[in-house]
Amino acid sequence: GFHGLSHSYASRRATELAGMPDARVVSCHLGAGASLAAVRDGRSVDTTMGFTPLAGLVMASRSGDVDPGLLVWLLKAGLSVEELEDGLEHHSGLTGLTGTGDMREVRAAAESGHHDAVLALEIYTHRLRQAISAMAASLGGVDLLVFTGGVGENDATLRNDVVNGLAFLGIKQVHVVRAREDLEIAGRTRAALRQ
């Protein structure tokens, strides 16, 4: 679902680059939307996304996982269901924490010492490490970590912070793979037509 084509392409490409066809892969699609997939033998065995793309990681404008009690509290405090939905989808995540969902702007603000931006990066990185650790647990370890998507491909500082905080996992290789859902669609279409 949701980022499935991206995870499929990135995880397969990473195993090719690493020369490790049987690798346990955690694929990190980090863009405006963000999700992880735990991939073994080319099949996803776990993901951070749920019934909707709202679940999982902190994103540009989506909340990611939140305490269900908070939702009940907000509804009891007078928010309508529509206001709650709009807030979770469009005014949460990095946008809610800093006023912008653009990671480049958040990074620049953090580097200039803006407190909210520093906090937002700490939250984003912490939640990402937590989720990667959970994916590793689903795989029984992790051999390859692959980053894709606009943030995953372009924010080297984030990648380094994440990887350095996960040294205990013994990750063998880290790869950055350009998101190419178009190639995944073309390959699957070709395979279907050959049947």
Side-chain angles (χ1 to χ4, degrees), residues 20-170:
M20 300 171 66
D22 298 327
R24 297 165 297 178
V25 181
V26 175
S27 173
C28 307
H29 180 100
L30 307 175
S35 68
L36 305 181
V39 181
R40 181 187 300 121
D41 299 324
R43 297 184 60 87
S44 175
V45 298
D46 202 355
T47 181
T48 57
M49 289 253 176
F51 178 70
T52 72
L54 187 60
L57 302 169
V58 172
M59 299 174 230
S61 65
R62 295 183 191 126
S63 63
D65 290 341
V66 296
D67 180 343
L70 170 65
L71 307 179
V72 173
W73 183 84
L74 289 169
L75 291 170
K76 285 183 176 179
L79 254 65
S80 69
V81 170
E82 291 76 19
E83 290 170 321
L84 180 59
E85 180 181 34
D86 182 57
L88 292 171
E89 290 280 351
H90 305 291
H91 306 287
S92 295
L94 293 174
T95 300
L97 292 165
T98 67
T100 180
D102 188 321
M103 182 59 90
R104 295 166 297 194
E105 293 175 12
V106 174
R107 172 85 46 212
E111 289 173 356
S112 69
H114 190 277
H115 177 267
D116 290 346
V118 170
L119 178 62
L121 284 176
E122 288 173 356
I123 291 169
Y124 190 96
T125 303
H126 174 74
R127 297 285 297 274
L128 184 52
R129 285 181 191 147
Q130 272 186 325
I132 292 169
S133 297
M135 296 296 109
S138 293
L139 291 167
V142 59
D143 302 309
L144 300 178
L145 185 60
V146 57
F147 291 92
T148 191
V151 175
E153 294 170 31
N154 297 301
D155 194 329
T157 302
L158 174 69
R159 291 192 309 266
N160 289 335
D161 289 346
V162 168
V163 171
N164 290 338
L166 295 172
F168 67 94
L169 288 176

